Amino acid sequence: MSGAVNVLVVGVGPHTRLNHLPTLAIAQDAGLAGTVTGADLPGAIAAGVEYGTPGRPRRMSVVHVQPFPVSRRSLPVGVRRVLEGVVERERIGAVVVATEPSVHLPYALWAMERGLPVLLDKPLTVRPGASTDPEAAQAIADDFDTLLDAYRAARRRDPRMVVSVLSQRRWHPAFRRVRELIAEVAEATNCPVTSVQSSHGDGQWRLPDEFVDLGYHGFDRGYGKAAHSGYHHFDTVPWWLAAGERPGKEIDEVEVHATFTRPSDFLAQLTVADHARLLPGFADRNSYTWQDLDRLTAGFGEVDVFLNVAYRSRGRVMALGSHNLAHTTFSQRSALHPVPGSLYKGNGRIGQENHIIQQGPFQALHLHVLQTLHGDEDGVDRRAAGGADHIELHVFRNDRLRPDWQRHRALGFADLVHGSGDNAVLPTQRSARSCAITEFLSYLTGRIPRTEMASDLADHRRPARLMAGAYVSMSRRWSDAGRPAAPVVLDFRPAAAPAGRALAALGAMR
């Protein structure tokens, strides 16, 4: 067993401080992580960041690197020099890439070239203008090939090398239970998943002037929801489908058609004047007319995107999918001004999602996450519908065909917890993210084998291509003045076999 791993975290924004650093602090206490050093842009973060566990505060030093054009496929010499200095000085053994996703590629390539294992945040990459430029959209798929080639080369140099993608639903007990149930019925019936209806809402109410003035999760780079949190669904759905694939029924092609809204559409749904009536003080704060905003947001990325998808095998449709990804959904924001320092989960942002998976005439799975924000003093059951941690899975099976099957089971929060005691993994996104980081460090310290890792880079060809297909569809329609475009058809074969990782045990840390 190896000693604790010293970690370099590239990108120390709100998401990292909320999610990555608390788990890294726990990992330090557990002997998995040694020193933790950050790297970010000079204006983004101070020279140090406070983090830690209850009773054990600590401070992470942050080195500054200069910004560079997102068109670069490799790091500038100056940025590389700073990072190389940290690697040597701190004896770095692993890199977490948590930057703005348009620069994921050069940082990940540098780490692999240096022989450093990588924990890569989702999405793998994205290109500016992806929703308006078909070439930029197609480049999302090409970037995966570049990453995979570099990964294979790094594995040849050092077979212990690993790149793990932090798409946390792969560690989430409820999402894993769905996959297990699909595999069980596929084994018994030879029937794949035949349809998936998925929807995800961010509950992010972005006010009209904030489309222009608020950079966090902005749309000004020419992409939006599909890159912000959509990748989770581009990853989860093919991962579920793979559990139901049978010999002769392997998915080899995907057809994608996207419809979407942009900021100008949102401003027609809820106008500047509407906002002025709803929010006292907005008219005094806002310096933009509707015409200004329409001009300034031209070419901005998608706010909501709905996808119709056909997953085919040898020309025949194996599964139909509707994947609906929206920022404009139920929110609990009421304040005019954004909450300082809490743009990630502040401002009334609510995540709600639903999935309905049909497996022919044999099984239906309904996974529902119906959450709200509330205070502990409100007397709301956190795990019931409308609670902050609500989740439930309904399992329907054809018991008249198979009397040993149960007609209906309803699994709530407690039923979906994996493990017990200190090793329990809760069915929450927080717990799943912690598992991703813990698993990565556990492999590097020799505590688990590679076969137990859930999200190897090589397994992400399909989600990368599904994301690319969504953006190619959006950009073609934009290029043709909004007229409907022909569906996008892409090869959908996996890049490599999962190497025995199918349904590995979950990690131990919350």
Side-chain angles (χ1 to χ4, degrees), residues 15-150:
H15 176 75
T16 296
R17 297 195 294 275
L18 178 67
N19 296 301
H20 295 19
L21 293 186
T23 301
L24 286 170
I26 296 172
Q28 287 176 313
D29 294 344
L32 291 172
T35 63
V36 178
T37 307
D40 213 316
L41 303 178
I45 202 76
V49 172
E50 303 292 337
Y51 73 109
T53 51
R56 292 199 63 183
R58 60 205 86 186
R59 184 176 178 82
M60 178 183 68
S61 63
V62 178
V63 298
H64 291 148
V65 294
Q66 294 300 315
F68 54 88
V70 296
S71 58
R72 291 192 63 109
R73 303 292 92 190
S74 61
L75 293 181
V77 172
V79 173
R80 183 184 292 265
R81 185 181 299 119
V82 171
L83 298 182
E84 293 285 352
V86 174
V87 169
E88 296 298 329
R89 183 172 63 253
E90 298 294 335
R91 298 183 180 180
I92 296 297
V95 176
V96 177
V97 177
T99 61
E100 207 286 324
S102 60
V103 292
H104 278 183
L105 181 67
Y107 281 111
L109 292 176
W110 163 78
M112 285 189 277
E113 178 188 312
R114 191 67 169 66
L116 293 167
V118 180
L119 181 63
L120 179 61
D121 259 11
K122 61 78 193 168
L124 305 180
T125 67
V126 69
R127 294 291 188 98
S131 71
T132 58
D133 179 357
E135 289 188 9
Q138 176 60 44
I140 295 169
D142 299 337
D143 284 347
F144 173 82
D145 296 336
T146 299
L147 284 168
L148 185 60
D149 287 346

Side-chain angles (χ1 to χ4, degrees), residues 223-247:
Y223 51 83
K225 170 65 177 180
H228 292 166
S229 53
Y231 189 84
H232 289 303
H233 290 259
F234 299 142
D235 181 38
T236 300
V237 172
W239 184 63
W240 282 339
L241 293 174
E245 286 180 302
R246 308 298 296 160

Side-chain angles (χ1 to χ4, degrees), residues 60-338:
M60 178 183 68
S61 63
V62 178
V63 298
H64 291 148
V65 294
Q66 294 300 315
F68 54 88
V70 296
S71 58
R72 291 192 63 109
R73 303 292 92 190
S74 61
L75 293 181
V77 172
V79 173
R80 183 184 292 265
R81 185 181 299 119
V82 171
L83 298 182
E84 293 285 352
V86 174
V87 169
E88 296 298 329
R89 183 172 63 253
E90 298 294 335
R91 298 183 180 180
I92 296 297
V95 176
V96 177
V97 177
T99 61
E100 207 286 324
S102 60
V103 292
H104 278 183
L105 181 67
Y107 281 111
L109 292 176
W110 163 78
M112 285 189 277
E113 178 188 312
R114 191 67 169 66
L116 293 167
V118 180
L119 181 63
L120 179 61
D121 259 11
K122 61 78 193 168
L124 305 180
T125 67
V126 69
R127 294 291 188 98
S131 71
T132 58
D133 179 357
E135 289 188 9
Q138 176 60 44
I140 295 169
D142 299 337
D143 284 347
F144 173 82
D145 296 336
T146 299
L147 284 168
L148 185 60
D149 287 346
Y151 185 30
R152 287 171 171 164
R155 288 284 307 276
R156 288 192 293 270
R157 294 191 296 271
D158 180 359
R160 297 169 300 174
M161 177 68 179
V162 69
V163 178
S164 183
V165 179
L166 207 170
S167 186
Q168 73 264 8
R169 283 163 177 77
R170 291 198 183 206
W171 290 270
H172 193 295
F175 288 79
R176 292 172 72 99
R177 182 70 67 87
V178 167
R179 195 168 195 262
E180 292 166 356
L181 293 166
I182 290 169
E184 186 179 301
V185 168
E187 179 67 25
T189 66
N190 204 40
C191 184
V193 171
T194 50
S195 69
V196 181
Q197 301 170 66
S198 290
S199 66
H200 182 268
D202 272 318
Q204 184 185 115
W205 184 6
R206 186 66 58 95
L207 305 189
D209 57 338
E210 293 172 353
F211 278 112
V212 177
D213 296 337
L214 190 61
Y216 184 71
H217 266 197
F219 302 87
D220 58 317
R221 297 180 180 92
Y223 51 83
K225 170 65 177 180
H228 292 166
S229 53
Y231 189 84
H232 289 303
H233 290 259
F234 299 142
D235 181 38
T236 300
V237 172
W239 184 63
W240 282 339
L241 293 174
E245 286 180 302
R246 308 298 296 160
K249 301 178 183 180
E250 300 90 350
I251 297 168
D252 55 29
E253 186 177 76
V254 66
E255 178 182 299
V256 183
H257 178 74
T259 54
F260 50 91
T261 64
R262 297 185 187 271
S264 59
D265 300 302
F266 174 79
L267 294 171
Q269 296 165 348
L270 199 56
T271 67
V272 172
D274 291 332
H275 281 86
R277 285 192 297 271
L278 290 164
L279 294 170
F282 175 76
D284 295 330
R285 186 187 80 176
N286 174 48
S287 60
Y288 304 107
T289 65
W290 181 90
Q291 290 80 3
D292 293 332
L293 291 168
D294 190 52
R295 172 178 54 82
L296 290 168
T297 61
F300 274 29
E302 74 286 355
V303 178
D304 305 333
V305 56
F306 282 26
L307 304 176
N308 287 322
V309 184
Y311 299 93
R312 290 198 284 258
S313 175
R314 306 178 188 185
R316 302 294 185 183
V317 175
M318 287 292 107
L320 290 173
S322 62
H323 310 318
N324 303 330
L325 310 170
H327 277 302
T328 311
T329 57
F330 165 67
S331 172
Q332 286 178 263
R333 178 174 182 175
S334 62
L336 174 62
H337 299 288

